[in-house]
C-alpha cells in the first residue's frame, strides 16, 4: 500500500466503534476508510448536521465473525486538529 493511500485510512483496534473512541483521521479529506482490528473495513464520511456540528457517517460492513453492522451516523463530541490529522472523539450514535 502506498504512503499516499494510507493517509486516508483510520486504524481502529476493535471490530466496532463505540462512544468515547478517539479516531485519528486525515484532516485533508472528509471521506476516508476505517480499517478495523479484525481486518474488515468501512467507508466513513465526516459531515455536518443541520446545526453545523460534525457527525460521522460510517457505512455498513460485516465483522470477521460474521456480524452485520448497519450503516450508522455518529455524533462527534470533540474534534481537534493536530498538523495534518484530525482527532475525533465519538459521541453517541444517532441512527
Amino acid at each position: 500500500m502506498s504512503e499516499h493511500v494510507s493517509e486516508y485510512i483510520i486504524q481502529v483496534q476493535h471490530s466496532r466503534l463505540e462512544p468515547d473512541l478517539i479516531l485519528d483521521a486525515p484532516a485533508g479529506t472528509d471521506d476516508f476508510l476505517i480499517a478495523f482490528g479484525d481486518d474488515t473495513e468501512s467507508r466513513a464520511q465526516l459531515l455536518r448536521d443541520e446545526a453545523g456540528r460534525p457527525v460521522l457517517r460510517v457505512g455498513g460492513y460485516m465483522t470477521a465473525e460474521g456480524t452485520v453492522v448497519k450503516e450508522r451516523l455518529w455524533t462527534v463530541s470533540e474534534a481537534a486538529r493536530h498538523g495534518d490529522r484530525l482527532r475525533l472523539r465519538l459521541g453517541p450514535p444517532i441512527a
Side-chain angles (χ1 to χ4, degrees), residues 41-56:
E41 54 191 38
S42 180
R43 181 175 176 210
Q45 294 175 295
L46 187 59
L47 308 169
R48 299 273 175 189
D49 67 10
E50 298 82 24
R53 296 174 298 225
V55 293
L56 186 69

Side-chain angles (χ1 to χ4, degrees), residues 13-77:
Q13 293 181 353
H14 310 286
S15 63
R16 300 179 87 147
L17 299 178
E18 58 188 44
D20 289 325
L21 184 67
I22 296 175
L23 304 177
D24 183 33
T29 184
D30 293 335
D31 194 345
F32 38 83
L33 190 69
I34 297 177
F36 293 97
D38 64 352
D39 293 326
T40 59
E41 54 191 38
S42 180
R43 181 175 176 210
Q45 294 175 295
L46 187 59
L47 308 169
R48 299 273 175 189
D49 67 10
E50 298 82 24
R53 296 174 298 225
V55 293
L56 186 69
R57 175 184 287 147
V58 179
Y61 64 99
M62 183 180 295
T63 68
E65 293 179 347
T67 303
V68 174
V69 179
K70 294 182 181 180
E71 178 176 295
R72 186 169 262 183
L73 194 62
W74 291 84
T75 59
V76 176
S77 60

